[in-house]
Amino acid sequence: CAVFIIRSEGRKIMLSGITKGQRAALKALKLVNERFKEELSLPMIARELSLTPQYLSKSFASCFGVNFSQYLLSVRLKYAASMIENTDASITDICFEAGYCNFSHFSRLFKRQYGVTPRDYRKKFRGDCL
């Protein structure tokens, strides 16, 4: 995706030639980054942007090289990992704050992404014995 947003001295400069699909993908990306803690889905965001889910899905994947669901998962897991590293909040609280409704689902996804359970990730990050 040849879309660049440059911030210079508080001004946004956007390169010309941005397509409708790229604009839609950027809006969806912004919404995910702002609201990932909420219940979100591709159909919900597409409806909000007055687009079909199929069009938004294709535009998002084309622009960012990853599908909507994968991106949302990545944002949520990065947030959770950061919270695990930087706070003493319980893993369960972090799970729900990151937008997950099911702890075992969160734990499975976290382990798939980071290779260890959230609890072991905290121990490893803090240098505790496993």
Side-chain angles (χ1 to χ4, degrees):
C1 182
V3 178
F4 297 96
I5 299 175
I6 302 168
R7 292 204 177 259
S8 172
E9 299 172 19
R11 295 178 305 179
K12 272 189 188 177
I13 302 167
M14 295 183 74
L15 297 179
S16 61
I18 188 169
T19 67
K20 178 184 173 189
Q22 290 168 335
R23 222 178 338 272
L26 285 169
K27 286 179 184 177
L29 183 82
K30 182 176 186 247
L31 290 172
V32 169
N33 289 335
E34 292 172 349
R35 297 176 21 205
F36 68 89
K37 294 178 184 182
E38 303 171 17
E39 182 180 339
L40 280 183
S41 68
L42 179 70
M44 290 169 64
I45 298 295
R47 192 175 325 113
E48 194 169 320
L49 297 175
S50 301
L51 302 167
T52 66
Q54 296 82 0
Y55 180 79
L56 181 57
S57 177
K58 184 177 178 182
S59 298
F60 197 94
S62 172
C63 196
F64 301 115
V66 62
N67 73 38
F68 179 89
S69 297
Q70 290 169 326
Y71 183 76
L72 177 59
L73 173 77
S74 172
V75 170
R76 286 177 169 167
L77 290 177
K78 283 178 186 173
Y79 175 79
S82 176
M83 293 292 291
I84 290 168
E85 293 170 11
N86 299 304
T87 72
D88 289 325
S90 76
I91 304 295
T92 302
D93 289 344
I94 291 170
C95 160
F96 294 119
E97 188 176 335
Y100 291 95
C101 300
N102 181 300
F103 182 80
S104 61
H105 179 67
F106 162 74
S107 189
R108 244 187 339 272
L109 293 172
F110 192 95
K111 186 172 182 177
R112 186 183 317 148
Q113 179 73 27
Y114 293 98
V116 292
T117 65
R119 197 166 324 289
D120 287 344
Y121 183 84
R122 176 172 273 166
K123 288 177 184 177
K124 183 178 175 183
F125 183 81
R126 294 187 176 178
D128 298 342
C129 296
L130 290 179

